[in-house]
């Protein structure tokens, strides 16, 4: 009798239907990471380091392919949900899947040369990057605040370890510690926000939160609870995307972390954070837009201004790029604030193109930093053009793109978000954003000029004289561009300039992949 | 102009051969850009190859621009040689080029000045990068002058800054880094307003006409109720006023000019400043004729202040190059004065003055550059009696100075005279005050000439060599044009006339528009709301 009851209970228990194929990119990343770990424990030490890189790149490539395949599915069947509505499968998730998987692919290539130079060998860095990326993807796919939190934690915990990956450098450990303490703090704040939202609406699912907020007539306590939850979630995610005033960790962590990891943080972690923020605000909390738009406006202005002004006074390139990445977050917030299709598409486009630009930039930084990863002051770039002309030219293009010079993706990205802002009648935000571009040009140009300035001891008019050549040879030692790193730089430059010239397809794709895509 | 006649036959053949729809403008942009890239790929040591490529690229482009001038139909007021291809479809942005009487001579001037800038001054280092930057600068300059798509114009308008920044910062004088940065950031601040203005205008056009998003300037001008939008007009004007530069936004110019290498100064004064005045005519006045009329008094006043102020300050300069730089501030005031007179003669004078200033001032910079190469100083007090040792240089300088002053019979006179005559009916008092600048121009230029070239050379100046044959050959085209355009400006005026007349008509027809633009900033501020 009791046995029959058990069976009856078991049949009524509703097992979620797991459509594995619909979130294949996440599974591939996790599978790849675990596969590499298993292989490493079986045959580790007996194979060349390059194999781990190859496996990691293959995994990321497979995830990219799976994302493209998913995109075709969505084109055919329309967007939908999976795993009992915990995940949302739409153009938006595919877009961020592409951003983060590309970032992890480029990162693995970059890390290859880095771990060899710094003798940090082993497959761990690739495993961590793949896991971290899977967390980022989970955030982009999330239709549930708890899934979002889960993604945030997977992303972050792997990143804490990556930040401290350079075991012999104190700065690296310090960065990891800082990132961990502040990151854990912000995760807690985010989780608290989730709890309050649940308290106010009775659900953690974004579509239900949206519906409840629309249908219920919020009054008194409930509304305040929802607003408090919203504020805390903005703070928690604002930390991840390094929006001012939640940015204070960024310069220290960016400076201390191994250069490739910093690039990965700026590209993938920022993109994932924004994916979460857009999911929460534009989708889940859309009914509260009158409340969050002013907050995002203030965040955007602060982030734009503080990021660019503080970048001017930096003398360390990694710190400068950290502030510049804060500044870039401001532009993405401008697109988010617009709260329309153009704005979201602009933000998405911004994050994709910025991922390539910033990864390329940090690839250059990690080359110039040399063994020990410590030559990162602006003075270390003096005369780079005379030592490594191609490297200097590539860096010039990447910095010009970040400064928003036309004919690069950087300009189109800024144009897209500013256009979205002005469409909403926000002329002031548009003009502030453009004026900040002028401020930002200042520090990018300073770095560029330094690269073309003649190094000490070299005669500008006779760079071929014996004395000059001796100085240059001396300065060139230790500046070694590994083939994989060169590939990363080449891909980033090609993407930045190529998509800047042949601009239509990517912009169209961004527009079709917005969160508003027929639902 | 004899050059024109000579080229006419060749162009006739080309027209027959290509069926008349050869994409001249596209080629005029792509050609220097490609040669620039080619130069960048040549090894640094092969200086003779670099030099040959540079000369080939700039001279071919110059020939091409002359062919464009010959092909140009002088009875046609609208855009010619239009080529239009979609670029970024989702934003309605297209590769949309065309010339009319206002831009034609600026394109030719650009083509003419680049070979001179390349061959005139000596380059003391890194010839490869220098040549490549110059060629890219030429491509983007021509692009800016022929763009009929506002987005495309903005792209070129901005891209121009990059090579110029590197030219000033890399090959300039002692304080070059500061000057280059100041130049770049100043212009960028101006463009901030321009870009937002462009976007707002395109959005307004799309919502008010219900049509797709477009940046085509002719289409945008048809936006209902746009003619009187003062805010948009000012957004455009700020960017152009920085570029011109209009007083009080001119402070970057003396620094940039003084620190720039000679080639940079030639291009900067010759054509780059004209991007501002050209932008005023082509976009600010054309798109917002009513606002331009209503606010004309502001710009007329600033123009006249600039004319007098620039001239007075030029008088005080101790540095010869700085003096020429300030004379540019004064001369460009004339162009703005003519533009905001809204009369046929005034606007025509404005366009002519752009060209004439683009001939005489580069010649002055060239001469100052050569003086510097010989004496390694530009301080007027250290130069003395150069005429005695370098009579050709003295004679050339005097001729160019006369042209710049506006002596009748030389080119400078034509533009200034047209501007003053044309502006008198509509802007009487401004003209009365502005005319003093003509007198002051004679004062500062002739006084400088007197101090530098006259008298007995002292010890340091006794060994200054005269112009070499190469230098004479480089400056000769400019001298020929100074005299030719002064004596017989008709071929130039003929081609300018119809377009200017059309612009004046456009301003008359739309300038009195009483339909007021509802203040754009008071528009619906919050979005209508999106429900997902």
């Amino acid at each position: 009798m009791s046995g029959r009851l058990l069976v009856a209970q078991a049949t009524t228990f509703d097992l979620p239907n797991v459509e594995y194929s619909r979130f294949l990119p996440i599974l591939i990343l996790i599978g790849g990471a675990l596969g590499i770990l298993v292989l490493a424990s079986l045959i580790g030490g007996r194979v060349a380091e390059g194999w781990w890189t190859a496996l990691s790149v293959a995994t990321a490539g497979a995830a990219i392919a799976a994302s493209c395949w998913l995109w075709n599915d969505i084109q055919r069947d329309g967007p939908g949900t999976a795993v009992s509505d915990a995940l949302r499968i739409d153009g938006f998730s595919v877009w961020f899947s592409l951003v983060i998987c590309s970032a992890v692919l480029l990162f693995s290539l970059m890390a290859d040369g880095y771990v060899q130079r710094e003798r940090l060998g082993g497959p761990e860095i690739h495993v961590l990057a793949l896991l971290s990326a899977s967390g980022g993807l989970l955030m982009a796919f999330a239709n549930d605040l708890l899934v979002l939190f889960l993604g945030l934690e997977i992303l972050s915990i792997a990143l804490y370890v990556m930040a401290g990956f350079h075991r012999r450098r104190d700065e690296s450990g310090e960065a990891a510690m800082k990132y961990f303490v502040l990151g854990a703090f912000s995760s807690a704040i985010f989780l608290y926000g989730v709890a309050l939202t649940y308290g106010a609406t009775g659900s953690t699912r974004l579509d239900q939160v949206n519906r409840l907020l629309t249908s219920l007539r919020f009054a008194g306590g409930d509304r305040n609870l929802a607003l408090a939850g919203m504020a805390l979630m903005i703070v928690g995610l604002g930390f991840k995307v390094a929006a001012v005033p939640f940015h204070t960790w960024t310069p220290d962590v960016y400076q201390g972390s191994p250069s490739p990891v910093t690039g990965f943080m700026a590209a993938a972690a920022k993109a994932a954070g924004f994916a979460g923020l857009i999911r929460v605000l534009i989708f889940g909390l859309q009914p509260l837009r009158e409340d969050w738009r002013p907050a995002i406006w203030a965040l955007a202005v602060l982030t734009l201004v503080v990021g660019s002004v503080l970048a001017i006074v930096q003398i360390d390139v990694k710190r400068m790029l950290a502030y510049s990445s804060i500044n870039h977050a401001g532009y993405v917030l401008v697109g988010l604030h617009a709260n329309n299709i153009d704005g979201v598409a602009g933000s998405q486009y911004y994050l994709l193109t910025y991922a390539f630009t910033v990864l390329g930039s940090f690839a250059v930084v990690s080359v110039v930093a040399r063994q020990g990863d410590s030559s990162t002051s602006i003075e270390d770039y003096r005369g780079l053009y005379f030592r490594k002309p191609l490297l200097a030219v590539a860096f010039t293009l990447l910095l010009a793109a970040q400064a928003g010079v036309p004919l690069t993706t950087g300009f189109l990205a800024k144009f897209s978000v500013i256009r979205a802002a002005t469409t909403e009648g926000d002329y002031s935000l548009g003009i502030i954003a453009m004026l900040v571009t002028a401020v930002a040009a200042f520090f990018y140009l300073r770095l560029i000029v330094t690269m073309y300035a003649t190094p000490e001891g070299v005669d500008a008019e006779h760079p071929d004289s014996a004395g000059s050549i001796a100085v240059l040879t001396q300065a060139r030692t230790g500046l070694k561009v590994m083939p994989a790193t060169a590939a990363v730089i080449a891909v980033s430059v090609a993407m930045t300039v190529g998509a800047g010239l042949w601009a239509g397809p990517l912009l169209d794709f961004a527009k079709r992949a917005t969160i508003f895509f027929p639902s | 102009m004899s050059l024109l006649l000579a080229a006419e036959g060749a162009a006739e053949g080309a027209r027959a051969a290509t069926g008349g729809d050869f994409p001249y403008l596209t080629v005029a942009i792509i050609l220097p850009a490609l040669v620039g890239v080619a130069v960048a790929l040549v090894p640094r040591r092969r200086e003779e190859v670099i030099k040959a490529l540079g000369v080939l690229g700039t001279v071919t482009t110059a020939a091409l621009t002359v062919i464009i001038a010959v092909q140009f139909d002088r009875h046609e007021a609208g855009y010619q040689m239009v080529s239009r291809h979609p670029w970024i479809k989702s934003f309605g942005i297209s590769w949309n080029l065309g010339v009319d009487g206002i831009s034609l001579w600026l394109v030719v001037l650009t083509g003419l000045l680049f070979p001179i800038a390349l061959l005139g001054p000596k380059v003391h280092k890194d010839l490869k990068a220098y040549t490549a930057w110059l060629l890219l600068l030429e491509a983007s300059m021509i692009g800016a002058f022929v763009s009929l798509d506002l987005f495309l114009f903005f792209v070129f308008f901005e891209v121009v800054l990059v090579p110029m920044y590197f030219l000033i910062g890399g090959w300039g004088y002692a304080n070059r880094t500061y000057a280059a940065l100041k130049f770049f950031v100043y212009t960028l601040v101006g463009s901030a307003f321009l870009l937002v203005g462009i976007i707002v205008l395109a959005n307004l056009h799309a919502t008010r006409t219900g049509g797709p998003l477009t940046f085509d300037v002719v289409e945008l001008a048809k936006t209902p109720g746009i003619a009187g939008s003062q805010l948009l007009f000012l957004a455009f004007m700020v960017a152009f006023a920085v570029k011109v530069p209009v007083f009080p936004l001119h402070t970057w110019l003396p620094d940039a000019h003084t620190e720039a290498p000679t080639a940079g100064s030639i291009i900067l004064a010759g054509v780059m400043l004209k991007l501002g005045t050209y932008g005023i005519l082509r976009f600010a006045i054309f798109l917002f004729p009513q606002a331009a009329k209503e606010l004309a008094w502001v710009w007329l006043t600033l123009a006249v202040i600039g004319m007098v102020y620039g001239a007075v300050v030029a008088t005080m300069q101790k540095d010869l190059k700085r003096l020429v730089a300030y004379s540019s501030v004064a001369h460009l005031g004339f162009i703005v004065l003519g533009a905001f007179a809204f009369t046929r003669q005034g606007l025509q004078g404005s366009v002519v003055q752009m060209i004439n200033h683009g001939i005489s001032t580069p010649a002055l910079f060239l001469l100052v550059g050569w003086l510097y190469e010989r004496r390694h100083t530009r301080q007027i007090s250290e130069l003395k009696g150069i005429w005695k040792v370098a009579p050709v240089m003295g004679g050339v300088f005097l001729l160019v100075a006369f042209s710049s002053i506006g002596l009748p019979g030389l080119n400078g006179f034509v533009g200034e005279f047209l501007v003053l005559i044309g502006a008198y009916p509509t802007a009487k008092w401004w003209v009365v005050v502005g005319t003093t600048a003509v007198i002051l121009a004679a004062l500062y230029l002739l006084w400088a000439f007197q101090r530098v070239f006259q008298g007995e050379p002292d010890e340091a100046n006794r060994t200054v060599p005269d112009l070499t044959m190469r230098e004479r050959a480089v400056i000769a085209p400019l001298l020929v044009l100074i005299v030719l355009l002064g004596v017989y400006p008709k071929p130039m005026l003929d081609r300018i006339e119809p377009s200017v007349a059309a612009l004046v008509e456009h301003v008359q027809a739309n300038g009195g528009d009483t339909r007021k633009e509802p203040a754009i900033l008071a528009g619906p501020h919050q979005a209508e709301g999106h429900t997902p």
Side-chain angles (χ1 to χ4, degrees):
Chain A
M1 188 67 190
S2 63
R4 188 176 284 177
L5 193 70
L6 266 179
V7 169
Q9 270 174 349
T11 47
T12 51
F13 180 71
D14 203 11
L15 264 177
N17 183 20
V18 183
E19 307 90 335
Y20 294 103
S21 66
R22 306 217 67 186
F23 51 98
L24 201 56
I26 304 182
L27 294 176
I28 291 179
L29 289 178
I30 297 178
L34 297 179
I36 294 179
L37 263 188
V38 171
L39 270 181
S41 58
L42 292 177
I43 55 165
R46 268 176 287 162
V47 292
E49 306 269 323
W51 285 103
W52 307 129
T53 309
L55 274 178
S56 172
V57 167
T59 308
I64 291 177
S67 309
C68 295
W69 178 67
L70 205 56
W71 173 253
N72 281 335
D73 261 16
I74 294 166
Q75 288 298 293
R76 198 182 56 232
D77 306 335
T81 55
V83 202
S84 294
D85 298 339
L87 298 180
R88 182 159 280 274
I89 318 296
D90 55 13
F92 183 80
S93 10
V94 173
W95 178 273
F96 279 95
S97 172
L98 287 174
V99 175
I100 295 168
C101 293
S102 311
V104 91
L105 196 153
L106 294 181
F107 167 78
S108 284
L109 285 173
M110 213 197 307
D112 183 59
Y114 186 82
V115 293
Q116 282 180 36
R117 189 185 70 197
E118 306 291 326
R119 299 197 184 77
L120 291 168
E124 294 89 346
I125 190 93
H126 302 297
V127 173
L128 288 168
L130 288 172
L131 282 177
S132 171
S134 77
L137 252 62
L138 206 54
M139 288 174 81
F141 279 78
N143 185 37
D144 191 302
L145 288 170
L146 284 176
V147 174
L148 188 58
F149 177 72
L150 205 64
L152 182 66
E153 282 301 274
I154 298 176
L155 169 86
S156 306
I157 290 172
L159 269 179
Y160 302 148
V161 186
M162 286 164 77
F165 195 74
H166 201 310
R167 296 182 288 270
R168 292 184 297 277
R169 285 186 71 221
D170 292 343
E171 295 91 337
S172 188
E174 185 193 327
M177 196 61 202
K178 260 185 193 149
Y179 195 26
F180 170 65
V181 172
L182 285 170
F185 203 58
S186 78
S187 294
I189 292 178
F190 178 77
L191 194 58
Y192 198 29
V194 173
L196 291 185
T197 311
Y198 179 73
T201 61
S203 175
T204 54
R205 258 177 53 194
L206 286 169
D207 51 342
Q208 286 183 354
V209 168
N210 183 323
R211 210 174 51 240
L212 286 162
L213 287 176
T214 318
S215 64
L216 287 179
R217 182 125 196 104
F218 273 108
D222 270 359
R223 187 184 161 78
N224 291 343
L225 208 55
L227 286 181
M230 175 192 91
L232 289 175
M233 287 195 287
I234 291 180
V235 173
L237 290 170
F239 174 89
K240 269 287 154 261
V241 303
V244 178
F246 318 114
H247 69 289
T248 42
W249 60 277
T250 321
D252 291 343
V253 173
Y254 275 34
Q255 188 185 12
S257 303
S259 302
V261 174
T262 314
F264 183 70
M265 263 180 216
K270 198 176 281 275
F274 269 114
L277 201 56
I278 293 173
R279 278 268 187 236
V280 170
L281 292 182
I282 301 234
F283 184 57
L285 300 183
Q286 185 61 239
L288 296 180
R289 60 178 167 275
E290 298 303 327
D291 298 297
W292 61 253
R293 284 193 74 213
I296 295 293
W297 193 93
L299 276 186
V301 171
L302 272 176
T303 309
L304 284 168
V305 173
V306 172
S308 59
V309 170
L310 288 186
I312 291 179
V313 295
Q314 303 305 322
I315 49 167
D316 182 283
V317 171
K318 274 167 97 176
R319 269 186 104 79
M320 192 203 91
L321 286 175
Y323 279 107
S324 119
S325 105
I326 294 173
N327 177 30
H328 288 296
Y331 288 101
V332 183
L333 284 171
V334 170
L336 171 61
H337 171 260
N339 193 25
N340 54 23
I341 293 186
D342 287 329
V344 177
S347 294
Q348 287 177 209
Y349 182 82
Y350 205 111
L351 288 165
L352 177 77
T353 52
Y354 178 65
F356 280 91
T357 319
V358 79
L359 277 163
S361 302
F362 276 101
V364 178
V365 170
S366 90
V367 170
V368 178
R370 300 172 190 205
Q371 184 147 26
D373 201 11
S374 52
S375 306
T376 54
S377 89
I378 288 190
E379 277 310 301
D380 292 321
Y381 288 76
R382 180 167 295 278
L384 186 65
Y385 174 67
F386 296 95
R387 295 180 257 146
K388 290 268 175 199
L390 272 180
L391 196 66
V393 168
F395 202 26
T396 306
L397 286 170
L398 292 171
L399 288 172
Q402 294 198 43
V405 172
L407 303 182
T408 64
T409 49
F411 173 68
L412 289 169
K414 289 191 166 71
F415 177 80
S416 305
V417 290
I418 289 171
R419 194 182 89 78
T422 47
T423 313
E424 292 298 314
D426 253 311
Y427 305 110
S428 54
L429 196 55
I431 287 179
I432 292 171
M434 273 308 290
L435 287 178
V436 165
T437 313
V439 178
F442 185 86
F443 55 81
Y444 294 119
L445 284 176
R446 192 180 51 168
L447 182 53
I448 291 176
V449 163
T450 312
M451 290 195 293
Y452 291 88
T454 11
E456 221 161 289
V458 174
D459 186 352
E461 300 189 18
H462 308 285
D464 295 334
S465 70
S468 306
I469 286 179
V471 172
L472 285 175
T473 320
Q474 170 69 23
R476 209 179 275 132
T477 44
L479 263 189
K480 190 154 182 273
V481 189
M482 301 281 192
T485 314
V488 173
I489 299 173
V491 168
S492 327
V493 171
M495 175 74 187
T496 304
V497 179
L501 289 172
W502 193 46
L506 198 58
L507 283 165
D508 288 339
F509 181 31
K511 207 157 184 171
R512 283 163 64 202
T514 51
I515 201 161
F516 299 98
F517 192 73
S519 54
Chain B
M1 291 310 110
S2 53
L3 203 59
L4 268 184
L5 295 175
E8 191 118 33
E12 205 59 55
R15 194 169 359 199
T18 57
D21 52 359
F22 182 74
Y24 289 104
L25 301 176
T26 308
V27 174
I29 298 169
I30 303 284
L31 178 74
L34 281 184
V35 179
V37 172
V39 165
L41 296 176
V42 176
R44 202 180 304 166
R45 283 155 209 270
R46 305 292 306 275
E47 294 214 336
E48 70 294 340
V49 180
I50 291 166
K51 193 117 206 172
L53 270 176
V55 172
L56 191 74
T58 50
V59 170
T60 319
T61 313
L64 196 63
T65 59
V66 172
I67 294 175
I68 290 171
V70 175
Q71 295 275 33
F72 191 86
D73 178 356
R74 78 186 74 171
H75 305 297
E76 173 70 46
Y79 296 111
Q80 305 184 24
M81 302 175 209
V82 174
S83 77
R84 183 191 300 222
H85 307 278
W87 179 24
I88 305 175
K89 276 195 187 125
S90 54
F91 288 152
I93 296 164
S94 56
W95 176 264
N96 187 359
L97 311 175
V99 282
D100 70 349
I102 295 172
S103 53
L104 172 71
W105 296 106
L106 289 167
V107 174
V108 179
L109 184 65
T110 312
L112 176 76
L113 284 181
F114 271 88
I116 292 174
L118 188 70
L119 291 172
K122 280 196 192 112
V123 188
H124 57 91
K125 64 165 193 190
D126 205 354
L127 183 72
K128 170 178 152 175
Y130 178 86
T131 312
W133 283 129
L134 263 183
L135 285 159
L136 291 181
L137 182 61
E138 173 162 32
S140 41
M141 285 300 314
I142 294 181
F145 283 132
V146 299
S147 294
L148 301 182
D149 184 288
L150 264 174
F151 184 92
L152 192 63
F153 170 77
F154 184 82
V155 165
F156 284 123
F157 189 76
E158 290 280 276
V159 167
V160 161
L161 297 180
V162 179
M164 191 45 115
Y165 172 80
F166 278 102
L167 282 173
I168 298 177
W171 287 267
Y173 297 98
N175 205 8
R176 58 181 180 268
T177 315
Y178 166 78
L181 201 61
K182 190 171 178 183
F183 156 76
F184 198 96
V185 172
Y186 246 79
T187 320
L188 220 52
V189 169
S191 341
F193 294 93
L194 178 61
L195 183 67
V196 175
I198 290 174
I199 295 171
V200 170
L201 177 60
N203 280 343
L204 281 180
H205 178 265
T207 46
R208 289 194 186 164
T209 61
L213 196 62
T214 176
F215 288 87
D216 182 331
V217 64
V218 179
E219 282 300 312
L220 288 176
K222 293 178 191 152
T223 314
I226 209 70
S229 169
Q230 298 194 346
L231 274 170
L232 281 177
F233 172 70
L234 287 178
F236 276 63
M237 278 306 287
V238 169
F240 297 140
V242 168
K243 201 82 169 187
V244 171
V246 172
F247 177 89
L249 302 171
H250 65 282
T251 55
W252 63 269
L253 179 98
D255 286 317
H257 263 320
T258 316
E259 301 302 331
T262 304
S265 296
I266 290 173
I267 301 306
L268 200 56
V271 279
M272 200 182 235
L273 302 184
K274 275 52 170 208
L275 272 182
T277 46
Y278 167 78
I280 291 176
L281 289 177
R282 168 71 78 239
F283 301 113
I285 292 182
F286 178 70
L287 289 169
F288 318 106
Q290 191 196 341
K293 263 193 149 172
E294 284 165 3
L295 294 176
W297 62 274
V298 176
W299 300 101
L300 287 171
T301 311
L302 291 178
V304 169
I305 294 177
M307 284 157 72
V308 178
Y309 170 85
V312 171
V313 176
T315 319
M316 316 288 170
Q317 292 308 313
K318 297 187 176 76
D319 181 320
L320 197 54
K321 205 169 180 191
R322 237 181 149 77
L323 182 149
V324 180
Y326 273 107
S327 87
S328 279
V329 176
H331 279 120
L332 282 149
F334 275 102
I335 303 175
V336 178
L337 179 66
F340 281 96
F342 303 116
T343 61
R344 216 180 259 218
Q345 276 172 324
L347 278 170
Q348 201 173 9
S350 185
V351 178
V352 172
Q353 175 75 355
M354 283 195 231
I355 306 304
N356 288 335
H357 177 262
I359 294 169
S360 54
T361 310
L364 279 177
F365 276 121
L366 209 48
L367 288 163
V368 174
W370 286 334
L371 257 178
Y372 183 86
E373 280 175 15
R374 289 164 165 74
R375 286 282 287 108
H376 295 283
T377 179
R378 296 184 308 248
Q379 296 299 314
I380 297 175
S381 56
E382 291 181 30
L383 300 162
K384 198 163 183 284
I386 306 283
W387 186 294
K388 282 267 160 48
V389 287
V392 177
M393 191 188 227
V396 170
F397 191 97
L398 190 62
L399 179 71
V400 176
F402 276 142
S403 150
S404 187
I405 292 163
L407 194 76
L410 298 179
N411 67 337
F413 175 74
V414 183
E416 286 186 6
F417 185 71
L418 275 171
V419 165
L420 293 176
I421 289 277
Y424 189 77
T426 50
K428 190 170 174 185
W429 292 108
W430 286 285
V431 170
V432 170
V433 181
T435 311
T436 54
V438 182
I439 302 158
L440 285 170
L443 176 69
Y444 61 75
L445 274 171
L446 290 182
W447 193 32
F449 174 79
Q450 192 184 6
R451 282 179 292 170
V452 172
F453 286 96
Q454 308 245 302
E456 279 301 317
D458 55 14
E459 199 54 49
N461 290 312
R462 201 158 294 156
T463 51
V464 173
D466 208 345
L467 292 186
T468 62
M469 286 319 283
R470 181 182 67 94
E471 290 165 343
R472 289 178 203 190
V474 166
I475 204 166
L478 294 176
L479 302 181
V480 170
L481 282 177
I482 284 175
V483 177
L484 250 178
L485 292 179
V487 179
Y488 188 60
K490 192 167 172 298
M492 178 162 80
L493 291 175
D494 275 353
R495 285 171 171 80
I496 295 172
E497 172 83 52
S499 301
V500 164
L503 181 58
V504 172
E505 217 163 274
H506 174 79
V507 173
Q508 301 304 357
N510 300 286
D513 199 332
T514 44
R515 277 173 301 159
K516 270 277 180 188
E517 163 73 2
I520 10 173
L521 276 184
H525 204 79
Q526 288 295 337
E528 285 306 304
H530 306 273
T531 39

